[in-house]
């Protein structure tokens, strides 16, 4: 039986986060420039977004560009920014067709102006859609996010708007860029690397982790279904015992 048929429709993860890794290696293995891998990676983004919408996943968060990625060679950074801009412009009709709402997390102000503008336009255009919420992490790092949240809380305490003893998990979550969404149920990382790489460190506390050797450009629908089926076989205890869960 294929993985699609094994999916239990009543146990679909609400929020799936993905570290899309391996574009460069995929290209290099074929003697191609790294950008070919990123372009192929966009095709995977298209496929996985459609599948996620079809499965009824509520939130799909994709790590597209980390704070650390700004340190890549300038030509690659520039080419990635152009690819993102072109993709967003080109994919907006598909997002509309699939009732997908787009948003971003990260320090968008570091992006070139045309990229900021394209994203804002697509976010506004898709804002009334009620299906899958597609969240693109751009110029994002979890440590940056935690520092931002800490600074805001400290200054609210200094202004006397909140009391130090009121700072708790719920409050910290409300200061994160993900405040409007549930924590990821499932984190997928492609390309065989076994790291979190500064992604959603606060939010992943109880997420199920799924690592695959598959490189992002070759991550297919069936690979995605495999990850979901694997997730559905996990027992999520959140620190409790098996008996308590059952
Ligand atoms: C990791 O591969 C991938 C990235 C840094 C960029 C991901 C971007 C895309 C898939 C394109 C656009 C995305 C959207 C949401 C439109 P890598 O370069 O680190 O690969 P490597 O580890 O093999 O070098």
């Amino acid at each position: 039986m294929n993985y699609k048929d094994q999916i239990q429709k009543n146990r679909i993860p609400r929020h799936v986060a993905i570290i899309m890794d391996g574009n460069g290696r995929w290209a290099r293995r074929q003697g191609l420039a790294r950008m070919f891998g990123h372009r192929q990676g966009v095709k995977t983004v298209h496929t996985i977004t459609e599948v996620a919408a079809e499965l009824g996943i509520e939130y799909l968060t994709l790590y597209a560009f980390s704070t650390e990625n700004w340190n890549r060679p300038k030509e690659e950074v520039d080419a990635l920014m152009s690819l993102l801009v072109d993709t967003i412009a080109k994919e907006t009709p598909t997002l509309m067709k699939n009732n997908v709402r787009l948003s971003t997390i990260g320090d968008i102000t570091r992006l070139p102006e045309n990229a900021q503008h394209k994203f804002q336009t697509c976010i506004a255009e898709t804002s009334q859609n009620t299906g899958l919420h597609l969240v693109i992490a751009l110029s994002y790092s979890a440590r940056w996010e935690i520092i931002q949240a800490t600074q805001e809380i400290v200054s609210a305490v200094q202004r006397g708007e909140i009391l130090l003893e009121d700072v708790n998990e719920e409050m910290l979550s409300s200061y994160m860029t993900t405040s409007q969404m549930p924590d990821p149920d499932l984190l997928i990382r492609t390309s065989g690397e076994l790291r979190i790489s500064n992604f959603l460190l606060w939010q992943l506390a109880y997420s199920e982790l799924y690592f695959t050797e598959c490189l992002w450009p070759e991550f297919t629908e069936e690979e995605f279904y495999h990850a979901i089926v694997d997730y559905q076989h996990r027992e999520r205890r959140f620190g409790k015992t098996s008996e308590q869960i059952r």
Side-chain angles (χ1 to χ4, degrees):
M1 190 162 50
N2 61 30
Y3 287 110
K4 187 177 187 181
D5 294 335
Q6 294 176 46
I7 289 181
Q8 302 165 48
K9 299 277 186 319
N10 58 345
R11 292 191 61 194
I12 298 292
R14 285 188 72 194
H15 183 175
V16 177
I18 308 184
I19 302 177
M20 310 179 285
D21 197 11
N23 293 349
R25 272 163 288 166
W26 181 85
R28 289 289 187 221
R29 276 180 200 172
Q30 296 168 78
L32 299 169
R34 293 175 54 81
M35 273 318 289
F36 281 92
H38 294 313
R39 278 192 217 111
Q40 196 64 29
V42 169
K43 294 186 186 163
T44 309
V45 170
H46 181 104
T47 307
I48 298 307
T49 303
E50 283 199 325
V51 174
E54 200 181 290
L55 282 174
I57 289 169
E58 292 174 53
Y59 298 87
L60 177 67
T61 302
L62 303 176
Y63 205 5
F65 195 88
S66 72
T67 307
E68 291 73 24
N69 286 154
W70 288 115
N71 300 322
R72 289 193 174 194
K74 186 177 176 324
E75 312 80 71
E76 182 166 339
V77 171
D78 290 348
L80 262 172
M81 288 299 144
S82 304
L83 181 65
L84 284 165
V85 167
D86 291 351
T87 305
I88 287 309
K90 220 169 80 197
E91 292 287 335
T92 305
T94 318
L95 298 180
M96 294 305 292
K97 187 187 100 198
N98 289 294
N99 195 22
V100 177
R101 181 176 159 204
L102 183 86
S103 66
T104 59
I105 54 171
D107 188 1
I108 301 300
T109 59
R110 288 187 71 180
L111 263 60
E113 286 217 344
N114 67 328
Q116 291 184 41
H117 179 72
K118 276 275 160 28
F119 274 97
Q120 278 153 5
T121 307
C122 183
I123 289 168
E125 214 170 305
T126 60
S127 64
Q128 301 304 314
N129 290 344
T130 54
L132 173 73
H133 195 143
L134 176 64
V135 184
I136 311 285
L138 277 173
S139 189
Y140 172 89
S141 85
R143 288 184 174 179
W144 163 82
E145 175 183 45
I146 291 167
I147 289 168
Q148 291 272 119
T150 309
Q151 287 174 339
E152 283 181 39
I153 291 172
V154 170
S155 83
V157 170
Q158 282 172 341
R159 290 195 303 271
E161 288 164 13
I162 53 177
L163 297 171
L164 192 56
E165 49 273 31
D166 290 340
V167 179
N168 55 20
E169 278 192 28
E170 205 183 322
M171 179 180 290
L172 203 45
S173 292
S174 76
Y175 278 84
M176 294 289 169
T177 58
T178 51
S179 61
Q180 302 302 312
M181 48 183 121
D183 287 343
D185 299 294
L186 171 64
L187 170 79
I188 299 172
R189 181 171 190 152
T190 58
S191 92
E193 307 288 357
L194 307 178
R195 286 189 292 276
I196 302 296
S197 298
N198 215 349
F199 189 42
L200 301 174
L201 296 179
W202 172 262
Q203 298 84 342
L204 292 173
Y206 281 102
S207 306
E208 295 298 326
L209 309 182
Y210 181 88
F211 297 99
T212 169
E213 290 288 324
C214 187
L215 303 175
W216 180 248
E218 54 197 23
F219 188 75
T220 58
E221 281 183 51
E222 193 58 9
E223 294 282 348
F224 191 40
Y225 294 134
H226 187 177
I228 307 281
V229 169
D230 192 276
Y231 161 84
Q232 292 184 330
H233 286 101
R234 310 269 182 100
E235 182 182 64
R236 304 189 73 191
R237 292 194 294 277
F238 299 95
K240 296 183 181 169
T241 66
S242 285
E243 290 71 24
Q244 284 176 299
I245 301 301
R246 285 181 205 134

